[in-house]
Structure formats: structure tokens, C-alpha cells
Amino acid sequence: MADKQISLPAKLINGGVAGLIGVTCVFPIDLAKTRLQNQQNGSRLYTSMSDCLIKTIRSEGYFGMYRGAAVNLTLVTPEKAIKLAANDFFRHHLSKDGKLTLLKEMLAGCGAGTCQVIVTTPMEMLKIQLQDAGRIAAQRKLMPETVPAGAVETKSPTAMQLTRELLREKGIAGLYKGLGATLLRDVPFSIIYFPLFANLNNLGKKGADGPSPFYVSFLSGCLAGSTAAVAVNPVDVIKTRLQSLNRGSTEDTYSGVTDCIRKIMRNEGPSAFLKGAYCRALVIAPLFGIAQVIYFLGVGEFILSFLPKKDN
């Protein structure tokens, strides 16, 4: 039987559409995750995800829950497109020489995770500053002891202002701060997620070659996504801390991954690495469940079918 050809443009469209829909649905939970992860001992403003969302609405209004969403929605299209399409690309080529073993599935996931950080790192860098700005502002009002003496309150910057400032002060490297931690998070995530999703999804197939029902793909994406999200949460905490530029006077700063691990262990204990794990699972589970349904529905193939076909 001839190899089934994959359409890279269609896969890119599928990934992009899936990312837009998924992020729109779960962004408030992602904001709560960032703020909970950035809290350090002595400056805890929020006690839980629900407490964080309630206080955010009270102090910043409903749309405060979507602070930083524009950056995420703009860049999640290429990020999810690269991640999902790259995994399909690597799986396709690794299966040409025989059966797609678990090791090959993990290698494909590794390749996908490595490719996506090109977009993920600057996206997360900007998103975290915007998401955490509300926490810093709320600390000024509710916990004035955490604000340095004589500090002047400034207006929250926009994504473009942040980008210009980072490029002016540090060049392109400023947008890629935390690249190492992002790789340490996204590569293991993809190594866990993609093989687990594929094997769970295969359990619901109708016959040997039949497709899985959409609800099987959705549930498989949710389960695989939440499992991978919790597994790499300690690295996500490190990445969030490293990429945060603004802190209260009582909060630690970090020079790198090892320095961050050492200070968190010393000052907050091992449990700090699980901060935001519940929120992260709630973000990733529906995000990837929705993504896989959109992906398997073939939205990209449908859109491309309306384009004029070139004559051979």
C-alpha cells in the first residue's frame, strides 16, 4: 500500500485554528496559573485558582482575565501549527521504514517540541509580563509592605511596548530569555503527550484502519494533555519565574535554571514546584482536546479544497 501523503499547509491550518479556539476557551485559567506560580512566600495574594479569578474580576474587571490574550492569540496560531504539524511530519517519515514503534513516536514528539520553542519562548515571555502585571498592581494596593519604598506606580505596558523595550535593551536575546527552561518543558511534554494521545486514540478506532470518533479524540487529548502538563509542571514553574521581569521587594530574582531550583527549594520547599499544576492541567486538557478534534475534523483540508487546483 502506498504511503499516505500528508498536506503540510492543511496541518498548519488545522493547528492554527485549533490553537485559537482552545486558547480563547481556557485563557483565564492560564492567567491564574501564571499568577499562582509567580507567588513567593511572604507575598501571597491568592489562595487558589478561584480566589485568583474572583480577585482579578473585582480589581481589573471581566476582561482583566484576558490580560495578555492578544499576544497569545496572535502567536498561538504559528505555535500550535508548528507543534502539531511537526509531530505529524516526523511520524510520517519515521514510519516509512516500518512500524512506528514507541521510541519513534517519542522521537517525533521530541522533534515537535524542539521546533515549537521558536515561537513559544517569545510568546510566553510577553504573555507572562502582561498576565502578571495585575498581580503586581494588586500587591501595591493590598500588600503595600511588598512594594519598595519610594516606588512609583506605572501604567501596565502593552505587548508592543514590552517588545520594543526588550529589543532595545537586550536585542533578540531579550525575547528568548528562558529558552533553556522552555526547551526543558516543551520537549518532555511532547515526548509524553503525542505517543500517549496516539495510543489512547487508537483504542477507540472503528476497525483496524477506521478513524476514531471525535469524542474519543477529545477525551484522548484531554487525558494525554493533563498527564503531560502535570509531569512537566516543575519546569513550567521555573520557566515562569525566569521569564518574569517585575517582582515585589520581598521576591527572589534568579540568574538561571540551577539558581532558580536552589532558591525555590531553600525558601519555599519542594511543594512550590507543583504551584499551578491544577490550573495547568485544566488549561492543557481542554486545549489539546479541542485541538485534536479540530485537527481530526480536517478543517484545513476543507478550506484548501476551495482553492483552485494546479493542473499536472
mmCIF file of all heavy atoms in Angstrom, residues 117 120-121 124 176-188 232-243 256-258 260-261 280:
data_model
loop_
_atom_site.group_PDB
_atom_site.id
_atom_site.type_symbol
_atom_site.label_atom_id
_atom_site.label_comp_id
_atom_site.label_asym_id
_atom_site.label_seq_id
_atom_site.Cartn_x
_atom_site.Cartn_y
_atom_site.Cartn_z
ATOM 1 N N VAL A 117 9.564 25.817 20.111
ATOM 2 C CA VAL A 117 10.102 26.848 21.019
ATOM 3 C C VAL A 117 10.526 28.103 20.264
ATOM 4 O O VAL A 117 10.708 29.155 20.879
ATOM 5 C CB VAL A 117 11.287 26.313 21.861
ATOM 6 C CG1 VAL A 117 10.848 25.165 22.755
ATOM 7 C CG2 VAL A 117 12.465 25.913 20.988
ATOM 8 N N THR A 120 7.219 29.647 20.850
ATOM 9 C CA THR A 120 6.739 29.566 22.234
ATOM 10 C C THR A 120 7.475 30.513 23.167
ATOM 11 O O THR A 120 6.855 31.184 24.002
ATOM 12 C CB THR A 120 6.893 28.128 22.779
ATOM 13 O OG1 THR A 120 6.195 27.231 21.932
ATOM 14 C CG2 THR A 120 6.339 28.025 24.183
ATOM 15 N N THR A 121 8.803 30.582 23.068
ATOM 16 C CA THR A 121 9.581 31.367 24.027
ATOM 17 C C THR A 121 9.220 32.855 24.015
ATOM 18 O O THR A 121 8.896 33.411 25.071
ATOM 19 C CB THR A 121 11.094 31.173 23.799
ATOM 20 O OG1 THR A 121 11.394 29.777 23.811
ATOM 21 C CG2 THR A 121 11.898 31.861 24.890
ATOM 22 N N GLU A 124 5.541 33.261 25.329
ATOM 23 C CA GLU A 124 5.411 33.109 26.779
ATOM 24 C C GLU A 124 6.056 34.284 27.514
ATOM 25 O O GLU A 124 5.556 34.738 28.539
ATOM 26 C CB GLU A 124 6.067 31.794 27.209
ATOM 27 C CG GLU A 124 5.355 30.556 26.710
ATOM 28 C CD GLU A 124 4.271 30.091 27.663
ATOM 29 O OE1 GLU A 124 4.559 29.914 28.847
ATOM 30 O OE2 GLU A 124 3.132 29.922 27.198
ATOM 31 N N TYR A 176 14.036 35.911 24.041
ATOM 32 C CA TYR A 176 14.288 34.473 24.204
ATOM 33 C C TYR A 176 14.868 34.154 25.575
ATOM 34 O O TYR A 176 15.478 33.105 25.755
ATOM 35 C CB TYR A 176 15.201 33.968 23.082
ATOM 36 C CG TYR A 176 14.427 33.709 21.814
ATOM 37 C CD1 TYR A 176 14.198 34.730 20.908
ATOM 38 C CD2 TYR A 176 13.873 32.462 21.545
ATOM 39 C CE1 TYR A 176 13.454 34.513 19.752
ATOM 40 C CE2 TYR A 176 13.135 32.236 20.405
ATOM 41 C CZ TYR A 176 12.925 33.265 19.507
ATOM 42 O OH TYR A 176 12.175 33.047 18.372
ATOM 43 N N LYS A 177 14.634 35.042 26.552
ATOM 44 C CA LYS A 177 15.016 34.740 27.921
ATOM 45 C C LYS A 177 14.184 33.541 28.399
ATOM 46 O O LYS A 177 12.973 33.500 28.208
ATOM 47 C CB LYS A 177 14.753 35.942 28.827
ATOM 48 C CG LYS A 177 15.203 35.711 30.263
ATOM 49 C CD LYS A 177 14.925 36.926 31.130
ATOM 50 C CE LYS A 177 15.384 36.689 32.562
ATOM 51 N NZ LYS A 177 15.079 37.826 33.447
ATOM 52 N N GLY A 178 14.844 32.587 29.025
ATOM 53 C CA GLY A 178 14.142 31.380 29.469
ATOM 54 C C GLY A 178 14.048 30.317 28.405
ATOM 55 O O GLY A 178 13.278 29.365 28.545
ATOM 56 N N LEU A 179 14.836 30.452 27.329
ATOM 57 C CA LEU A 179 14.805 29.470 26.240
ATOM 58 C C LEU A 179 15.145 28.063 26.743
ATOM 59 O O LEU A 179 14.479 27.086 26.386
ATOM 60 C CB LEU A 179 15.772 29.879 25.128
ATOM 61 C CG LEU A 179 15.958 28.878 23.976
ATOM 62 C CD1 LEU A 179 14.645 28.661 23.232
ATOM 63 C CD2 LEU A 179 17.038 29.360 23.008
ATOM 64 N N GLY A 180 16.170 27.973 27.586
ATOM 65 C CA GLY A 180 16.574 26.669 28.100
ATOM 66 C C GLY A 180 15.468 26.000 28.894
ATOM 67 O O GLY A 180 15.174 24.806 28.714
ATOM 68 N N ALA A 181 14.807 26.786 29.769
ATOM 69 C CA ALA A 181 13.713 26.242 30.573
ATOM 70 C C ALA A 181 12.520 25.879 29.697
ATOM 71 O O ALA A 181 11.813 24.895 29.964
ATOM 72 C CB ALA A 181 13.294 27.250 31.642
ATOM 73 N N THR A 182 12.291 26.660 28.641
ATOM 74 C CA THR A 182 11.190 26.354 27.724
ATOM 75 C C THR A 182 11.445 25.036 27.003
ATOM 76 O O THR A 182 10.529 24.217 26.839
ATOM 77 C CB THR A 182 11.002 27.488 26.697
ATOM 78 O OG1 THR A 182 10.850 28.730 27.381
ATOM 79 C CG2 THR A 182 9.767 27.256 25.847
ATOM 80 N N LEU A 183 12.686 24.822 26.581
ATOM 81 C CA LEU A 183 13.047 23.536 25.961
ATOM 82 C C LEU A 183 12.873 22.382 26.949
ATOM 83 O O LEU A 183 12.343 21.320 26.594
ATOM 84 C CB LEU A 183 14.497 23.575 25.464
ATOM 85 C CG LEU A 183 14.742 24.161 24.073
ATOM 86 C CD1 LEU A 183 16.234 24.381 23.857
ATOM 87 C CD2 LEU A 183 14.186 23.241 22.983
ATOM 88 N N LEU A 184 13.301 22.609 28.191
ATOM 89 C CA LEU A 184 13.190 21.567 29.214
ATOM 90 C C LEU A 184 11.730 21.245 29.534
ATOM 91 O O LEU A 184 11.432 20.155 30.027
ATOM 92 C CB LEU A 184 13.906 22.011 30.500
ATOM 93 C CG LEU A 184 15.433 21.997 30.461
ATOM 94 C CD1 LEU A 184 16.003 22.587 31.748
ATOM 95 C CD2 LEU A 184 15.955 20.573 30.268
ATOM 96 N N ARG A 185 10.830 22.184 29.263
ATOM 97 C CA ARG A 185 9.402 21.923 29.476
ATOM 98 C C ARG A 185 8.741 21.319 28.247
ATOM 99 O O ARG A 185 8.046 20.307 28.320
ATOM 100 C CB ARG A 185 8.676 23.228 29.832
ATOM 101 C CG ARG A 185 7.194 23.033 30.126
ATOM 102 C CD ARG A 185 6.414 24.335 30.067
ATOM 103 N NE ARG A 185 6.353 24.891 28.714
ATOM 104 C CZ ARG A 185 5.617 25.945 28.391
ATOM 105 N NH1 ARG A 185 4.921 26.585 29.322
ATOM 106 N NH2 ARG A 185 5.604 26.408 27.156
ATOM 107 N N ASP A 186 8.967 21.937 27.075
ATOM 108 C CA ASP A 186 8.200 21.561 25.892
ATOM 109 C C ASP A 186 8.642 20.250 25.252
ATOM 110 O O ASP A 186 7.814 19.529 24.686
ATOM 111 C CB ASP A 186 8.259 22.694 24.857
ATOM 112 C CG ASP A 186 7.439 23.903 25.294
ATOM 113 O OD1 ASP A 186 6.668 23.754 26.267
ATOM 114 O OD2 ASP A 186 7.564 24.967 24.675
ATOM 115 N N VAL A 187 9.944 19.944 25.312
ATOM 116 C CA VAL A 187 10.405 18.688 24.719
ATOM 117 C C VAL A 187 9.872 17.479 25.503
ATOM 118 O O VAL A 187 9.257 16.581 24.911
ATOM 119 C CB VAL A 187 11.946 18.657 24.592
ATOM 120 C CG1 VAL A 187 12.420 17.274 24.165
ATOM 121 C CG2 VAL A 187 12.405 19.705 23.577
ATOM 122 N N PRO A 188 10.054 17.424 26.845
ATOM 123 C CA PRO A 188 9.464 16.298 27.589
ATOM 124 C C PRO A 188 7.944 16.243 27.467
ATOM 125 O O PRO A 188 7.357 15.161 27.411
ATOM 126 C CB PRO A 188 9.888 16.563 29.037
ATOM 127 C CG PRO A 188 11.120 17.391 28.921
ATOM 128 C CD PRO A 188 10.886 18.259 27.724
ATOM 129 N N VAL A 232 5.355 17.877 33.708
ATOM 130 C CA VAL A 232 6.398 18.889 33.463
ATOM 131 C C VAL A 232 6.139 20.190 34.223
ATOM 132 O O VAL A 232 6.840 21.178 34.007
ATOM 133 C CB VAL A 232 6.538 19.191 31.947
ATOM 134 C CG1 VAL A 232 6.862 17.926 31.169
ATOM 135 C CG2 VAL A 232 5.283 19.852 31.387
ATOM 136 N N ASN A 233 5.155 20.203 35.128
ATOM 137 C CA ASN A 233 4.827 21.432 35.855
ATOM 138 C C ASN A 233 6.013 22.029 36.617
ATOM 139 O O ASN A 233 6.169 23.250 36.647
ATOM 140 C CB ASN A 233 3.663 21.197 36.822
ATOM 141 C CG ASN A 233 3.087 22.501 37.337
ATOM 142 O OD1 ASN A 233 2.375 23.193 36.621
ATOM 143 N ND2 ASN A 233 3.414 22.858 38.574
ATOM 144 N N PRO A 234 6.878 21.207 37.271
ATOM 145 C CA PRO A 234 8.034 21.810 37.963
ATOM 146 C C PRO A 234 8.891 22.685 37.048
ATOM 147 O O PRO A 234 9.346 23.759 37.448
ATOM 148 C CB PRO A 234 8.814 20.590 38.457
ATOM 149 C CG PRO A 234 7.764 19.541 38.642
ATOM 150 C CD PRO A 234 6.792 19.761 37.524
ATOM 151 N N VAL A 235 9.083 22.253 35.806
ATOM 152 C CA VAL A 235 9.874 23.047 34.862
ATOM 153 C C VAL A 235 9.087 24.274 34.424
ATOM 154 O O VAL A 235 9.662 25.333 34.155
ATOM 155 C CB VAL A 235 10.289 22.203 33.637
ATOM 156 C CG1 VAL A 235 11.272 22.977 32.767
ATOM 157 C CG2 VAL A 235 10.902 20.888 34.066
ATOM 158 N N ASP A 236 7.759 24.160 34.358
ATOM 159 C CA ASP A 236 6.934 25.310 33.990
ATOM 160 C C ASP A 236 7.017 26.395 35.057
ATOM 161 O O ASP A 236 7.030 27.589 34.742
ATOM 162 C CB ASP A 236 5.479 24.865 33.797
ATOM 163 C CG ASP A 236 4.629 25.948 33.153
ATOM 164 O OD1 ASP A 236 5.013 26.448 32.076
ATOM 165 O OD2 ASP A 236 3.586 26.315 33.730
ATOM 166 N N VAL A 237 7.085 26.001 36.336
ATOM 167 C CA VAL A 237 7.261 26.968 37.423
ATOM 168 C C VAL A 237 8.590 27.700 37.249
ATOM 169 O O VAL A 237 8.657 28.932 37.357
ATOM 170 C CB VAL A 237 7.215 26.265 38.800
ATOM 171 C CG1 VAL A 237 7.601 27.241 39.911
ATOM 172 C CG2 VAL A 237 5.828 25.695 39.068
ATOM 173 N N ILE A 238 9.648 26.943 36.981
ATOM 174 C CA ILE A 238 10.976 27.536 36.777
ATOM 175 C C ILE A 238 10.957 28.502 35.604
ATOM 176 O O ILE A 238 11.464 29.629 35.688
ATOM 177 C CB ILE A 238 12.023 26.429 36.550
ATOM 178 C CG1 ILE A 238 12.167 25.571 37.810
ATOM 179 C CG2 ILE A 238 13.375 27.025 36.146
ATOM 180 C CD1 ILE A 238 12.930 24.283 37.585
ATOM 181 N N LYS A 239 10.344 28.084 34.498
ATOM 182 C CA LYS A 239 10.279 28.926 33.304
ATOM 183 C C LYS A 239 9.520 30.225 33.584
ATOM 184 O O LYS A 239 9.956 31.313 33.195
ATOM 185 C CB LYS A 239 9.584 28.155 32.169
ATOM 186 C CG LYS A 239 9.524 28.912 30.850
ATOM 187 C CD LYS A 239 8.511 28.320 29.920
ATOM 188 C CE LYS A 239 7.113 28.581 30.383
ATOM 189 N NZ LYS A 239 6.748 30.035 30.337
ATOM 190 N N THR A 240 8.390 30.116 34.294
ATOM 191 C CA THR A 240 7.595 31.302 34.618
ATOM 192 C C THR A 240 8.394 32.273 35.483
ATOM 193 O O THR A 240 8.386 33.486 35.247
ATOM 194 C CB THR A 240 6.300 30.896 35.348
ATOM 195 O OG1 THR A 240 5.531 30.044 34.493
ATOM 196 C CG2 THR A 240 5.471 32.115 35.707
ATOM 197 N N ARG A 241 9.096 31.745 36.472
ATOM 198 C CA ARG A 241 9.889 32.611 37.363
ATOM 199 C C ARG A 241 11.015 33.296 36.592
ATOM 200 O O ARG A 241 11.300 34.479 36.796
ATOM 201 C CB ARG A 241 10.480 31.776 38.504
ATOM 202 C CG ARG A 241 9.438 31.144 39.436
ATOM 203 C CD ARG A 241 8.880 32.142 40.427
ATOM 204 N NE ARG A 241 7.946 31.512 41.369
ATOM 205 C CZ ARG A 241 8.283 31.031 42.556
ATOM 206 N NH1 ARG A 241 9.545 31.087 42.972
ATOM 207 N NH2 ARG A 241 7.377 30.494 43.351
ATOM 208 N N LEU A 242 11.693 32.552 35.713
ATOM 209 C CA LEU A 242 12.821 33.120 34.963
ATOM 210 C C LEU A 242 12.362 34.194 33.982
ATOM 211 O O LEU A 242 13.088 35.158 33.715
ATOM 212 C CB LEU A 242 13.565 32.011 34.202
ATOM 213 C CG LEU A 242 14.391 31.036 35.040
ATOM 214 C CD1 LEU A 242 14.960 29.934 34.153
ATOM 215 C CD2 LEU A 242 15.536 31.760 35.749
ATOM 216 N N GLN A 243 11.165 34.035 33.429
ATOM 217 C CA GLN A 243 10.701 34.964 32.404
ATOM 218 C C GLN A 243 9.970 36.175 32.980
ATOM 219 O O GLN A 243 9.631 37.089 32.239
ATOM 220 C CB GLN A 243 9.795 34.232 31.412
ATOM 221 C CG GLN A 243 10.554 33.264 30.514
ATOM 222 C CD GLN A 243 9.674 32.645 29.451
ATOM 223 O OE1 GLN A 243 8.531 32.293 29.703
ATOM 224 N NE2 GLN A 243 10.212 32.486 28.255
ATOM 225 N N GLY A 256 19.489 31.891 36.620
ATOM 226 C CA GLY A 256 19.416 30.781 35.684
ATOM 227 C C GLY A 256 18.609 29.633 36.263
ATOM 228 O O GLY A 256 18.066 29.732 37.367
ATOM 229 N N VAL A 257 18.546 28.537 35.523
ATOM 230 C CA VAL A 257 17.731 27.390 35.924
ATOM 231 C C VAL A 257 18.192 26.817 37.256
ATOM 232 O O VAL A 257 17.392 26.607 38.180
ATOM 233 C CB VAL A 257 17.750 26.292 34.836
ATOM 234 C CG1 VAL A 257 17.052 25.021 35.331
ATOM 235 C CG2 VAL A 257 17.075 26.788 33.560
ATOM 236 N N THR A 258 19.498 26.559 37.396
ATOM 237 C CA THR A 258 20.001 25.942 38.630
ATOM 238 C C THR A 258 19.836 26.873 39.823
ATOM 239 O O THR A 258 19.499 26.428 40.928
ATOM 240 C CB THR A 258 21.475 25.542 38.481
ATOM 241 O OG1 THR A 258 22.247 26.684 38.064
ATOM 242 C CG2 THR A 258 21.637 24.429 37.457
ATOM 243 N N CYS A 260 17.517 29.120 40.167
ATOM 244 C CA CYS A 260 16.085 29.144 40.450
ATOM 245 C C CYS A 260 15.674 27.910 41.261
ATOM 246 O O CYS A 260 14.947 28.022 42.257
ATOM 247 C CB CYS A 260 15.303 29.198 39.141
ATOM 248 S SG CYS A 260 13.517 29.361 39.351
ATOM 249 N N ILE A 261 16.146 26.731 40.845
ATOM 250 C CA ILE A 261 15.826 25.496 41.564
ATOM 251 C C ILE A 261 16.331 25.578 43.004
ATOM 252 O O ILE A 261 15.608 25.241 43.947
ATOM 253 C CB ILE A 261 16.454 24.278 40.853
ATOM 254 C CG1 ILE A 261 15.802 24.074 39.483
ATOM 255 C CG2 ILE A 261 16.297 23.010 41.701
ATOM 256 C CD1 ILE A 261 16.491 23.024 38.631
ATOM 257 N N ARG A 280 -2.812 24.311 35.404
ATOM 258 C CA ARG A 280 -2.171 23.917 34.144
ATOM 259 C C ARG A 280 -2.867 22.711 33.528
ATOM 260 O O ARG A 280 -3.064 22.656 32.311
ATOM 261 C CB ARG A 280 -0.690 23.617 34.395
ATOM 262 C CG ARG A 280 0.075 23.275 33.124
ATOM 263 C CD ARG A 280 1.571 23.415 33.304
ATOM 264 N NE ARG A 280 2.294 22.768 32.225
ATOM 265 C CZ ARG A 280 2.409 23.233 30.994
ATOM 266 N NH1 ARG A 280 1.838 24.389 30.682
ATOM 267 N NH2 ARG A 280 3.084 22.583 30.074
#
